[in-house]
Amino acid sequence: MAEVILMPRLSDTMTEGVIAAWHKKVGDAVKKGDLLAEIETDKATMELESYQAGTLLHIGTEKGGKLQVNDLLAIIGNAGEDISALVAKHNDSGAVASKQEASVTAAPAPAASSASSIDVSSMEEVVLMPRLSDTMTEGVIAAWHKNIGDTVKKGEVLADIETDKATMELESYKDGVLLYQGAKAGEKILVNDLLCIIGKQGLDVNAIVAAVKAGSGAKTIDTKEEVAAKQQETTVPVTDSQQITVVNEGRILASPLAKKVAAEKGIDLKYVQGSGDNGRIIKADIDNYKATASADVKPAAASTSIASTTVSVPAGVVSFEEVPVSQMRKTIARRLSESLFTAPHFYLTMSIDMDAAVAARVKLNEVSKVKISFNDMVLKATAVALKQHPKVNSSWLGDKIRINHHVNIGVAVAVDEGLLVPVVRFADGLSLSQIAVQVKEYAQKAKDKKLQPADWEGSTFTISNLGMFGIDQFTAIINPPDACILAVGGISQEPVVKNGQIVPGNIMKVTLSCDHRVVDGATGAAFLQTLKSLLEEPLRMMI
């Protein structure tokens, strides 16, 4: 039986997609996992893989054409199969109405017979797990923003989905009632597996679930009673006359100050209702919670917080904790392993006299509207040096080397789950204050898990700075497909010889990791010499 593939929602704000390229043409055999097409969204160009096998019988539009989310993208079935009715149904202007009528007609039928006749992929009520990043294969439900039975409007946030890159908000692109959830918070769902069902009350969801399970072996999804029982478990009794209810599950949005004050007062943020944008918890919410909450809750919250970070273990007792690997950590492990064991790394270290940079930064911050850090100065000097040494600003692409004429510098940012690398684009043309603003914004977005695919794609060179953690010198693993990464240590006072005298100097050590397939030793050394000269005479980078 022919299967319909609808245009998936590949980003949290996507409403339409453009076909950047087809990797299969009508008549080609398609295997599960084969690359079907490249789709340009509002955030990035992403690859769409087939989740079924067969023959490509129809494409919804040619290369360069646009399709709305849930428009007909392709049909895969048996060679020679008649698909005229399916094409007519989805191309007709009343396709939405006909799909709804079909679902209502199918609803009264018994689940067993419906399972064999329902084409789940063509049902508007069915929401499949979207591919929210270019390398995503599965998503973890970080939190549900809607419960079963809740009314859902188009544009409202359904859930927070943890991908291999970041945690992203998934908005609903239809109106209705949330009738089913494909997984509980903390559980995984493969791309294109059943995420939820949104429709009208009375819809026979059992038939849809049976069809999904018959077609893909999907796991059992929560019933309304199970969800209600779970919600009851999140209510924590305090006294016989008072209860404190959990109001936040999964990822909690809170300002840094609110988190700090809550930690000091021993308040668990999951019990605090936020009054900021999108329910964000602010300091005032913590202060108000202190005034209204029972004093009996505070010790419990504090002990829970302490227990999560410090475990008291008697001497001589074997004890450990196993934590599931996050999607982000899995991707980091895979990419860095591939880089280290595929790219032949070599390392060049140089000491830089930062006396002039220290003095220049003081003067710059006297007039700058935004505080300029040493990292901003290193980034600017690196961008200028890369323009002079384009081979270092290159990418290894297997059968060719791409020498980039633009300078996009990735800045490694540490977060709880691992490492993100947002990109400062066209850095050589930015002022120090512009660089400072962008880096600060990206760092905050990374910590708040608000980075989008467009923020971390397209780097030509990467900087990793551990100097603020007291690290003097280290080596970093190249971020593919970049050819190099610069590891920046801290500035420390060391004795140096100037004009025949031993005097204290501000020394910073940097180490350049190079892919020897692209960059030779002399090329890397010349780049570091230019970088050194720019930082030792900062006025040169302002020209």
Side-chain angles (χ1 to χ4, degrees), residues 27-247:
D28 284 355
V30 179
K31 296 179 181 178
K32 184 177 180 180
D34 279 357
L35 183 60
L36 273 180
E38 292 177 30
I39 298 177
E40 181 182 349
T41 74
D42 56 336
K43 297 292 178 59
T45 299
M46 301 183 181
E47 297 177 344
L48 179 70
E49 296 177 357
S50 175
Y51 49 91
Q52 56 206 44
T55 300
L56 182 59
L57 303 176
H58 177 82
I59 59 175
T61 184
E62 296 293 337
K63 176 182 176 181
K66 285 184 181 179
L67 290 174
Q68 299 292 312
V69 168
N70 277 339
D71 277 356
L72 177 63
L73 177 63
I75 298 177
I76 295 177
N78 298 322
E81 188 173 354
D82 184 7
I83 58 170
S84 56
L86 284 176
V87 174
K89 175 182 176 181
H90 286 276
N91 287 343
D92 184 70
S93 59
V96 173
S98 65
K99 281 187 281 186
Q100 290 176 339
E101 290 170 4
S103 64
V104 172
T105 302
S113 60
S114 298
S116 61
S117 60
I118 292 179
D119 181 7
V120 175
S121 63
S122 66
M123 293 192 66
E124 185 168 295
E125 293 81 2
V126 172
V127 180
L128 305 179
M129 172 63 78
R131 198 166 188 239
L132 297 175
S133 83
D134 54 340
T135 56
M136 175 181 173
T137 58
E138 62 185 11
V140 175
I141 306 298
W144 282 103
H145 289 264
K146 295 290 183 179
N147 297 316
I148 291 178
D150 287 353
T151 299
V152 179
K153 295 182 180 179
K154 183 178 180 180
E156 288 187 331
V157 178
L158 275 177
D160 291 342
I161 309 293
E162 180 190 346
T163 74
D164 55 343
K165 297 286 182 64
T167 299
M168 306 171 73
E169 293 179 343
L170 179 69
E171 298 177 359
S172 175
Y173 47 87
K174 60 187 72 176
D175 299 329
V177 176
L178 183 60
L179 303 175
Y180 264 90
Q181 295 172 339
K184 301 176 183 178
E187 294 182 343
K188 298 177 183 177
I189 300 182
L190 294 175
V191 168
N192 287 323
D193 274 2
L194 181 63
L195 178 62
C196 63
I197 300 175
I198 298 175
K200 296 179 180 179
Q201 290 285 11
L203 179 69
D204 188 357
V205 294
N206 291 330
I208 299 174
V209 175
V212 172
K213 292 169 67 176
S216 62
K219 64 178 184 178
T220 304
I221 51 184
D222 292 346
T223 64
K224 187 171 183 178
E225 292 74 16
E226 289 171 337
V227 172
K230 178 188 173 187
Q231 291 173 342
Q232 290 177 357
E233 291 173 358
T234 61
T235 300
V236 182
V238 179
T239 65
D240 292 338
S241 60
Q242 181 184 12
Q243 286 188 333
I244 303 298
T245 304
V246 173
V247 294

Side-chain angles (χ1 to χ4, degrees), residues 60 63 147 208 286 294 334 446 461-462 467 490:
K63 176 182 176 181
N147 297 316
I208 299 174
I286 303 298
S294 167
R334 176 178 55 80
F461 187 91
T462 305

Side-chain angles (χ1 to χ4, degrees), residues 252 254-270 272 281-283 285-287 289-290 298 301-302 305:
I252 299 175
S255 70
L257 181 58
K259 291 179 180 179
K260 181 176 182 294
V261 174
E264 291 172 351
K265 295 182 177 180
I267 296 174
D268 194 328
L269 292 178
K270 69 182 179 182
V272 181
I281 299 171
I282 58 178
K283 181 177 180 293
D285 299 321
I286 303 298
D287 295 336
Y289 183 85
K290 175 185 176 182
K298 295 175 186 175
S305 175

Side-chain angles (χ1 to χ4, degrees), residues 333-346 396-398 477-478 480-482 514-518:
R334 176 178 55 80
R335 284 175 58 84
L336 293 185
S337 295
E338 290 174 355
S339 175
L340 185 61
F341 296 113
T342 302
H345 286 53
F346 73 91
W396 174 262
L397 301 180
I477 300 174
I478 297 169
D482 299 354
C514 303
D515 184 343
H516 218 324
R517 297 172 299 183
V518 182

Side-chain angles (χ1 to χ4, degrees), residues 316-332:
V317 176
V318 175
S319 177
F320 57 86
E321 179 181 3
E322 294 183 348
V323 180
V325 179
S326 68
Q327 300 299 98
M328 185 186 299
R329 179 59 67 181
K330 285 181 181 178
T331 302
I332 291 171

Side-chain angles (χ1 to χ4, degrees), residues 349-352 472-473 487-490 494 507-511:
T349 299
M350 181 172 282
S351 296
I352 299 175
D472 294 326
Q473 180 184 343
V488 182
E494 299 179 9
I507 302 300
M508 180 180 74
K509 293 181 180 179
V510 297
T511 299

